[in-house]
Every structure is written in C-alpha cells, then in structure tokens.
Amino acid sequence: MKQSLHSATLSNGIILVGERLPDLESVAVAFHSPAGSIHDPVGTCGLATVAGEMCLRGAGVRDSRQLVEDLESAGVQWSQGVSSTHASFSGAMVARHLPDVLPIYADILRRPLLPEDELPAARQMVLQNLAGIEDDPAHRAIAALRRIHCPAPWGMPTEGISADVESISIDDVRGFVGHHLQPGGMIVSVAGRIDWDDFVRRVDDLLGDWPAVSSAAVGVGPRGPFIHHVPHDSQQTHIALAWSVPPYRDDASHEATAALAILGGGPSSRFFTEIRERRGLCYSVSAGYQTSRDFANAVCYSGTSAERAQETLDVMLAEIGRLPGTISPDELGRVKARAKSGLTMQQESSAARAGAIARQWYHLGRLRTLAQELERYDRLDVAGVEGWLADQPPRDLTVVSLGRDPLEVRCAIPA
Amino acid sequence: MKQSLHSATLSNGIILVGERLPDLESVAVAFHSPAGSIHDPVGTCGLATVAGEMCLRGAGVRDSRQLVEDLESAGVQWSQGVSSTHASFSGAMVARHLPDVLPIYADILRRPLLPEDELPAARQMVLQNLAGIEDDPAHRAIAALRRIHCPAPWGMPTEGISADVESISIDDVRGFVGHHLQPGGMIVSVAGRIDWDDFVRRVDDLLGDWPAVSSAAVGVGPRGPFIHHVPHDSQQTHIALAWSVPPYRDDASHEATAALAILGGGPSSRFFTEIRERRGLCYSVSAGYQTSRDFANAVCYSGTSAERAQETLDVMLAEIGRLPGTISPDELGRVKARAKSGLTMQQESSAARAGAIARQWYHLGRLRTLAQELERYDRLDVAGVEGWLADQPPRDLTVVSLGRDPLEVRCAIPA
C-alpha cells in the first residue's frame, strides 16, 4: 500500500501534518495547542481545563450555543480535551464539510469570546466532574500515583482541585488563553479524504497571520514518596504502581513497550493469566506505557476486594520482578502480531490516523510510514527485549493503594 | 457507493449476514448465540455470564491458555460478551487470518471443554466484577432502574447476583451451554475484505452439521414500582429515568429515537444545554434509546451532587414534559446531520458494520442498505416527530435515585 504522508510549517511556527486516505469518505482534523495543565499556576490547578471549556462558549461571531449548533449541523463528531501538555479541539466529519468547519475551529483558537457570564457554569461543570471523580476510586488511585510519582507540575491533576477551581476568575482564564493558546508549538493534524495542498492553503489563510509569542519554560519540582496509602471505606481496594521507562522518542521505548505488553497488555499477558484467570484475584488488572516527550512511566493497575488485595499486590510485584530473563519467543510473537494487526487496522480510521501522526510529530519531530513501523516490529526480538531489561530492570517502584487497609510492599525489586 | 450486502441460512437455521468492504484490509466476524441472561433460571442469576466466561477456558484440542494464545498470535482483537439475549464471540483481524481463525470460534461454540477445575476462577472473576460494580454508583442506578422498569427476566442483571453466582455448579454451566449455545437463533456476521461465497462455505463446513434443538420460550413476570430510592452514603446522587417507546422493528422507532436525541443525545441537546451548560448542575446528563426485539425504553441518566439533585431531577422532568409541541426544524436538522454523518463513517469500520448488520437481522429479519437508511432520515420531519409525540407522549415514568436522600418526583407528566 502506498502511503501519502505530508507535513508543512507555517511562518509563525504552526506545524501541519496530514495523511491522505482516499478510500475513506471521512476526514478527521485536530488542533493541538500547547495550553496543557502543566502551565496551571500554583494555586489555580484546573485553570487549563476551565480555559479549554470556556473556549467553546462562543468564538468569533458565534455565541456558545451557535458554535455547537453549527458544528452539529455539519454532522461533525467533535470533542475538546485538555491533557498535561495540550488543549486539543478535534472533529471527524464527512469530507465535504471540512472547508466550512475549519473557520469555526480558527475562531475557537484565535477569537474565543471567554464571556464572564458563562464562567460560573463552566467552573461548576469542572467542579461537578471533580465531585464525580470522588465516586470513582480507580481514577483516584491512578491520580494519587501520578501525583507522587511524577515531579510537579507533571503529577498535578489535569482535571483540577476543587478549592483551586472555585477561585478561578475570568482574568485568570483570559490570561491563560492569551499566553498559551498560541501558534508556537501548535500541531494541526488531518487524515482521511483530503486534498493536502488545499488544506495547507486554507489553514494558512486562517492561522498563518497569527503572531507567535514566546512561552516560558516549565520549572520542575520534586517528586513525592514511593509508598502511599489513601484511606477509603469500601469492600474494594485499588492498587496502582509506576516506575520510569524510556520515553517514546528513545529507540529503547520499543523494547520497553513490548516488555510491558508481555507483563500486562492483554488477555494472554502474565498479569491476566496469573492474577485474573488462574487465581481469580480480580476482574481488572493491567500494565501499560504512558509517555510524555521527555520521560515515560510504566503504570500497573488492579482493582480487587479488600481481602485479596495483599495477595494481588504480592503477585503483581512477583511478576514484575520475574520479567527479566524469562521472555519467551512465543509471548513476544503474540505481542508483535497484535501490534502489527493494530497498526494495519488503524489505517482504516481517519480519527485514529489524525491522532497518531500528531503524536509522532510531537514526540519525534517527524512522521513514520506504516512500512517503517511494521519493519521496527519485524526487527524486535527476544535478545533486544532481554538486553533492555538487563540494562534497565524495573526498580524504584512507586506503590499506591486506595482502600480500607494499607498494604505491605514485600518487594524483591530494588527500591 | 455500491454496497454489497449478503445473507444466507444454513440447513440447521444458522443465519449468516455479511458486507464486503473491499477497501479495507481488515475483517470483523461475530457469532451471536441466543444464550443470553434472560435464560438464567431463577436462583442462578449470572449463569449465562459464567457460561460465556467458561466457553473461552478451553475448546476442542486447545486448553484455556492455548485458545487465547492462538487468537492473539493471529493478531485477532477478540472479545466475548453476554447480553440479556445473546452470548457473543467476536474478533477483528487482518483479512488473511480469517480462514485460520474460524475453526477456533467453531470449537468455542461446539466443543467448549467447560473444565470443572476452571470453574472456581471463572466464578471468582464474575464475583470480582460484581464487587467492582458496588464501587460504581452510576452503573448501580441504571441497573436498579432496569430491574424495576422491565418485567423479569428482562430486568435482571446480566452480570449476575453475588449469592446466586456463588452457588453455580459445573452441571449448571454444562446444562446451560447444552440448552442455549445452539444453532437455532444464531446469527454469524462478517464485514470487511471478504469473499462471501468462500465464507459461507467455510462456516457451513464448520457449523452446518450442528443439529438444532428446540428452545423453550421465556416467561415474563411482573414489573416493579415506578419510584424507587437506593440509599447510598455519598456526596453524589445518581438519577435514572425510563419510559416505554416503540422497539427498533417498529417504524415509529425512527421518530422516537430522533425525539430522544433532541432531548438528550449530545452537546446541543436540551438536557445538555439547559442542565449542564446553562445551569452547571452536573457533568453528565443524557437521554438514550435501548431496544430489545419486542419492547424498548427511553433511558435518561444524570450524576450530580446531593445538593443539586432535586433541581436536576426537576429540570429533567420539565424538559421531558416540554418535548411535545416544541420540536424545531433546526434541532431536528442537527440530529439528522449527525445521524447521517455517523452512518457514512460507520462504513469505514469492519467491526461497526459487522455489529450493525447482525443487529438489523435480529430486529428486522433483513438488512437495510446505507442508501435506504439515509433515505429514511431524509423523510424524517418535524410533523412526523410531533405526530408521534402527540400519539405517545412520555408517560408512566420509572424514576430511580441513588444517593443520600430520596428525591421528590414533582411531575407534570402523567404517571
């Protein structure tokens, strides 16, 4: 299959990446602006999230309601989200609607109204989400893990902290949007039935004369303790573990993600087989890979009953400790087969491809073809994964439990 | 776009439906067997779910582990699930693997080992899931709604009841599988890069000589009360509402789903605009359509804080009561645009299409082309939706609250 990947840089620094998938009827577009929660000033944790929410409450000539209605009238499946690094505005639609929809996104980015009278409702919505999270102990356990494992501001909760959110003013929002919703570091990705040259021309017309401002670097604080218990009165206990692994842009991330997939990446993984299938200790158990540009973490999770929590943690730690030196060609073969199958099927979704090429550019500063990605998997072998594990065995684990009783970390793994 | 839809019936009654999507590299296949939880005998609620779980623990010549490993080695993204009506086994894969994968599914259906020594772990996993649901109040509110709104066995929880699951024996499982995992009523759906004639031949070879047995009809019991409060000590309150609407196979379901989409089907819906955006009462609020073959329900949900719960319920009921006589062409236009866009984009996913054609056959006994589906939306107009609402306005609502305090149902809607 011939693949048509494109990239371009506007004069103000905005990066455009695209993939033409001519067999599709749809197109997916996403605007990733570097207005993520790592820029939340101390004491206003949640500001990026409130700002992202406010950007949709009217922009250009459209008020809050008109904006949403115009996107929906064009049949756009749209979404808005804020991560630690980016505020993202995206939409998937039947391809012919793209020319009418791009100016709406340009208004959201450049001319959000940020009306003061909408702030109480926007803030209230963020607070309601936070209240809902109180009822979601799995989410709370992972958030607590992140908060102590990652140095501030990386570990702070993107969704905010209630007391901080309550204090956010319209000046905070306008200041944040003015500083961070800007061309420098912005990535616009598009995939599907597109005419690339026409797309670049349209985005350049809409965003090309938007002046870049320089942004301040983010200072990094200390990390938290390695072991932490969150008291929670429930029959269930939630366990979350993390340790550091190479970020995506590091070549060794390929070996790291394969090792984590063998550990807990699916129904034939060791966690699943040993903890869920054989011992019936829990319903959900997993290990995964979470990467930022400059660092990455292995993150493991299990939700289980209070009585089985200690055994579950013991077995998770034992399986992590047992990983180096025991990778079999069969289990690596399954991981490779699943990953390659996933890559091939990803080519069938404009939204998945728009997301993938934006991530690649952010992490690597370039795009990889499907052929290159598949070839990387062909090269991946047991010796490589074992070599990486010997070099960087899991260590310095952060362990969080959320439940009735603290757990004992009986650990063969160096801490 | 020319669409190639196919159907066939094997001599033992198994229905095959398929769609060729030659631009895709993938194929998705699903086996829907009529072994759903409505067949759980009284006192063994959860048996269908335990049986579905046991079917994957070895089949034919493969033990539990080998079965999963062989699916994963072929890069199959597989899943197994039990609903009130069906046990479904499905997988998406790169098309060339289909011939090797079909015999594995045939073994799961016809020759599950159902080993006694795996039962404790399988049962334990189902129990762990139930314990996890205790920590998920939104799920509990919807389950409580279903249980009182739908007559038994339709309202019983597919995921089971702990005391019942603990008592399930291997004889229960083997009896259930023998009675219900059978050709009569089975639908096999496939979509993607397929050769239809070859697919029919292969499935006929694998399943065609499987003798059909007759299955007993399901008796229907009484429904529960209309208003119910579940005490739950939390800052959050969860509200769930239901009333009866026409099932999918009824032509009027088209008007009903449009009316529900206007009420609470997305970010420009009335619930979203009035309750979430304008009043900031909650983070999540929705109205949706849930259909069985012979009946269907409108189901509304909101999760909010205890203090705002009464106002949230009041506004939800007011919006439901206000629906007849107030549909605007603009809001119907947006619903149509989104639905048509969704239909077009669905053509790009083999898994979505395999699911859609199986559902169509189950509900209608035939397949609709994309052109027919789009044309139905073109015909949909305000007069039709208002006509249906005038005929069948929302009434006899079932109202469930889960939280600290019971709510008052101050209702302009006839009960």
Side-chain angles (χ1 to χ4, degrees), chain B residues 137-152:
Chain B
H139 186 118
R140 286 174 57 202
I142 298 280
L145 177 78
R146 211 180 144 72
R147 193 140 175 197
I148 61 173
H149 183 76
C150 302

PDB file of all heavy atoms in Angstrom, chain B residues 137-152:
ATOM      1  N   PRO B 137     -21.492   3.736  41.344  1.00  0.00           N
ATOM      2  CA  PRO B 137     -22.891   4.075  41.623  1.00  0.00           C
ATOM      3  C   PRO B 137     -23.711   4.391  40.369  1.00  0.00           C
ATOM      4  O   PRO B 137     -24.924   4.149  40.367  1.00  0.00           O
ATOM      5  CB  PRO B 137     -22.791   5.288  42.548  1.00  0.00           C
ATOM      6  CG  PRO B 137     -21.404   5.794  42.413  1.00  0.00           C
ATOM      7  CD  PRO B 137     -20.548   4.646  41.990  1.00  0.00           C
ATOM      8  N   ALA B 138     -23.077   4.901  39.308  1.00  0.00           N
ATOM      9  CA  ALA B 138     -23.831   5.176  38.079  1.00  0.00           C
ATOM     10  C   ALA B 138     -24.374   3.863  37.517  1.00  0.00           C
ATOM     11  O   ALA B 138     -25.555   3.754  37.159  1.00  0.00           O
ATOM     12  CB  ALA B 138     -22.937   5.868  37.053  1.00  0.00           C
ATOM     13  N   HIS B 139     -23.510   2.856  37.457  1.00  0.00           N
ATOM     14  CA  HIS B 139     -23.924   1.541  36.988  1.00  0.00           C
ATOM     15  C   HIS B 139     -25.046   0.983  37.868  1.00  0.00           C
ATOM     16  O   HIS B 139     -26.029   0.433  37.375  1.00  0.00           O
ATOM     17  CB  HIS B 139     -22.708   0.603  37.005  1.00  0.00           C
ATOM     18  CG  HIS B 139     -22.959  -0.746  36.409  1.00  0.00           C
ATOM     19  ND1 HIS B 139     -22.292  -1.210  35.305  1.00  0.00           N
ATOM     20  CD2 HIS B 139     -23.820  -1.740  36.759  1.00  0.00           C
ATOM     21  CE1 HIS B 139     -22.727  -2.424  35.011  1.00  0.00           C
ATOM     22  NE2 HIS B 139     -23.643  -2.776  35.884  1.00  0.00           N
ATOM     23  N   ARG B 140     -24.898   1.160  39.184  1.00  0.00           N
ATOM     24  CA  ARG B 140     -25.911   0.623  40.102  1.00  0.00           C
ATOM     25  C   ARG B 140     -27.265   1.299  39.909  1.00  0.00           C
ATOM     26  O   ARG B 140     -28.315   0.644  39.989  1.00  0.00           O
ATOM     27  CB  ARG B 140     -25.448   0.799  41.552  1.00  0.00           C
ATOM     28  CG  ARG B 140     -24.349  -0.181  41.949  1.00  0.00           C
ATOM     29  CD  ARG B 140     -23.822   0.123  43.339  1.00  0.00           C
ATOM     30  NE  ARG B 140     -24.874   0.098  44.340  1.00  0.00           N
ATOM     31  CZ  ARG B 140     -24.807   0.715  45.520  1.00  0.00           C
ATOM     32  NH1 ARG B 140     -23.723   1.417  45.831  1.00  0.00           N
ATOM     33  NH2 ARG B 140     -25.791   0.640  46.378  1.00  0.00           N
ATOM     34  N   ALA B 141     -27.251   2.609  39.647  1.00  0.00           N
ATOM     35  CA  ALA B 141     -28.521   3.324  39.456  1.00  0.00           C
ATOM     36  C   ALA B 141     -29.233   2.817  38.204  1.00  0.00           C
ATOM     37  O   ALA B 141     -30.447   2.571  38.213  1.00  0.00           O
ATOM     38  CB  ALA B 141     -28.269   4.829  39.359  1.00  0.00           C
ATOM     39  N   ILE B 142     -28.479   2.645  37.117  1.00  0.00           N
ATOM     40  CA  ILE B 142     -29.079   2.166  35.861  1.00  0.00           C
ATOM     41  C   ILE B 142     -29.585   0.725  36.038  1.00  0.00           C
ATOM     42  O   ILE B 142     -30.666   0.362  35.553  1.00  0.00           O
ATOM     43  CB  ILE B 142     -28.045   2.228  34.709  1.00  0.00           C
ATOM     44  CG1 ILE B 142     -27.604   3.677  34.456  1.00  0.00           C
ATOM     45  CG2 ILE B 142     -28.604   1.594  33.445  1.00  0.00           C
ATOM     46  CD1 ILE B 142     -28.547   4.511  33.637  1.00  0.00           C
ATOM     47  N   ALA B 143     -28.814  -0.101  36.756  1.00  0.00           N
ATOM     48  CA  ALA B 143     -29.236  -1.489  36.984  1.00  0.00           C
ATOM     49  C   ALA B 143     -30.519  -1.534  37.819  1.00  0.00           C
ATOM     50  O   ALA B 143     -31.425  -2.329  37.548  1.00  0.00           O
ATOM     51  CB  ALA B 143     -28.116  -2.275  37.666  1.00  0.00           C
ATOM     52  N   ALA B 144     -30.598  -0.657  38.834  1.00  0.00           N
ATOM     53  CA  ALA B 144     -31.805  -0.619  39.672  1.00  0.00           C
ATOM     54  C   ALA B 144     -33.009  -0.177  38.845  1.00  0.00           C
ATOM     55  O   ALA B 144     -34.122  -0.692  38.999  1.00  0.00           O
ATOM     56  CB  ALA B 144     -31.588   0.333  40.852  1.00  0.00           C
ATOM     57  N   LEU B 145     -32.785   0.776  37.942  1.00  0.00           N
ATOM     58  CA  LEU B 145     -33.860   1.240  37.058  1.00  0.00           C
ATOM     59  C   LEU B 145     -34.368   0.097  36.192  1.00  0.00           C
ATOM     60  O   LEU B 145     -35.572  -0.151  36.082  1.00  0.00           O
ATOM     61  CB  LEU B 145     -33.327   2.358  36.156  1.00  0.00           C
ATOM     62  CG  LEU B 145     -34.317   2.890  35.116  1.00  0.00           C
ATOM     63  CD1 LEU B 145     -35.312   3.828  35.779  1.00  0.00           C
ATOM     64  CD2 LEU B 145     -33.597   3.610  33.974  1.00  0.00           C
ATOM     65  N   ARG B 146     -33.429  -0.607  35.577  1.00  0.00           N
ATOM     66  CA  ARG B 146     -33.766  -1.712  34.688  1.00  0.00           C
ATOM     67  C   ARG B 146     -34.558  -2.785  35.438  1.00  0.00           C
ATOM     68  O   ARG B 146     -35.533  -3.333  34.931  1.00  0.00           O
ATOM     69  CB  ARG B 146     -32.455  -2.318  34.170  1.00  0.00           C
ATOM     70  CG  ARG B 146     -32.553  -2.895  32.795  1.00  0.00           C
ATOM     71  CD  ARG B 146     -31.251  -3.497  32.308  1.00  0.00           C
ATOM     72  NE  ARG B 146     -31.576  -4.669  31.512  1.00  0.00           N
ATOM     73  CZ  ARG B 146     -32.114  -4.615  30.306  1.00  0.00           C
ATOM     74  NH1 ARG B 146     -32.344  -3.455  29.740  1.00  0.00           N
ATOM     75  NH2 ARG B 146     -32.424  -5.719  29.658  1.00  0.00           N
ATOM     76  N   ARG B 147     -34.125  -3.026  36.651  1.00  0.00           N
ATOM     77  CA  ARG B 147     -34.724  -4.109  37.423  1.00  0.00           C
ATOM     78  C   ARG B 147     -36.189  -3.835  37.763  1.00  0.00           C
ATOM     79  O   ARG B 147     -36.991  -4.765  37.784  1.00  0.00           O
ATOM     80  CB  ARG B 147     -33.914  -4.300  38.708  1.00  0.00           C
ATOM     81  CG  ARG B 147     -34.258  -5.567  39.414  1.00  0.00           C
ATOM     82  CD  ARG B 147     -33.042  -6.233  39.977  1.00  0.00           C
ATOM     83  NE  ARG B 147     -33.416  -7.401  40.751  1.00  0.00           N
ATOM     84  CZ  ARG B 147     -32.619  -7.993  41.613  1.00  0.00           C
ATOM     85  NH1 ARG B 147     -31.400  -7.531  41.805  1.00  0.00           N
ATOM     86  NH2 ARG B 147     -33.017  -9.053  42.266  1.00  0.00           N
ATOM     87  N   ILE B 148     -36.542  -2.570  38.022  1.00  0.00           N
ATOM     88  CA  ILE B 148     -37.954  -2.316  38.350  1.00  0.00           C
ATOM     89  C   ILE B 148     -38.768  -1.933  37.118  1.00  0.00           C
ATOM     90  O   ILE B 148     -39.963  -2.176  37.069  1.00  0.00           O
ATOM     91  CB  ILE B 148     -38.130  -1.236  39.455  1.00  0.00           C
ATOM     92  CG1 ILE B 148     -37.564   0.112  39.034  1.00  0.00           C
ATOM     93  CG2 ILE B 148     -37.507  -1.713  40.760  1.00  0.00           C
ATOM     94  CD1 ILE B 148     -37.875   1.224  40.029  1.00  0.00           C
ATOM     95  N   HIS B 149     -38.114  -1.370  36.106  1.00  0.00           N
ATOM     96  CA  HIS B 149     -38.879  -0.928  34.934  1.00  0.00           C
ATOM     97  C   HIS B 149     -39.233  -2.087  34.008  1.00  0.00           C
ATOM     98  O   HIS B 149     -40.322  -2.126  33.437  1.00  0.00           O
ATOM     99  CB  HIS B 149     -38.099   0.135  34.162  1.00  0.00           C
ATOM    100  CG  HIS B 149     -38.856   0.685  32.993  1.00  0.00           C
ATOM    101  ND1 HIS B 149     -39.884   1.589  33.145  1.00  0.00           N
ATOM    102  CD2 HIS B 149     -38.768   0.437  31.659  1.00  0.00           C
ATOM    103  CE1 HIS B 149     -40.386   1.879  31.952  1.00  0.00           C
ATOM    104  NE2 HIS B 149     -39.729   1.192  31.033  1.00  0.00           N
ATOM    105  N   CYS B 150     -38.307  -3.019  33.819  1.00  0.00           N
ATOM    106  CA  CYS B 150     -38.546  -4.125  32.892  1.00  0.00           C
ATOM    107  C   CYS B 150     -39.112  -5.321  33.654  1.00  0.00           C
ATOM    108  O   CYS B 150     -38.647  -5.644  34.741  1.00  0.00           O
ATOM    109  CB  CYS B 150     -37.248  -4.556  32.219  1.00  0.00           C
ATOM    110  SG  CYS B 150     -36.425  -3.250  31.323  1.00  0.00           S
ATOM    111  N   PRO B 151     -40.087  -6.011  33.066  1.00  0.00           N
ATOM    112  CA  PRO B 151     -40.576  -7.230  33.704  1.00  0.00           C
ATOM    113  C   PRO B 151     -39.469  -8.289  33.721  1.00  0.00           C
ATOM    114  O   PRO B 151     -38.670  -8.370  32.795  1.00  0.00           O
ATOM    115  CB  PRO B 151     -41.730  -7.665  32.800  1.00  0.00           C
ATOM    116  CG  PRO B 151     -41.501  -6.989  31.493  1.00  0.00           C
ATOM    117  CD  PRO B 151     -40.765  -5.726  31.794  1.00  0.00           C
ATOM    118  N   ALA B 152     -39.426  -9.104  34.800  1.00  0.00           N
ATOM    119  CA  ALA B 152     -38.472 -10.211  34.860  1.00  0.00           C
ATOM    120  C   ALA B 152     -38.788 -11.177  33.720  1.00  0.00           C
ATOM    121  O   ALA B 152     -39.959 -11.336  33.383  1.00  0.00           O
ATOM    122  CB  ALA B 152     -38.586 -10.921  36.207  1.00  0.00           C
TER     123      ALA B 152
END
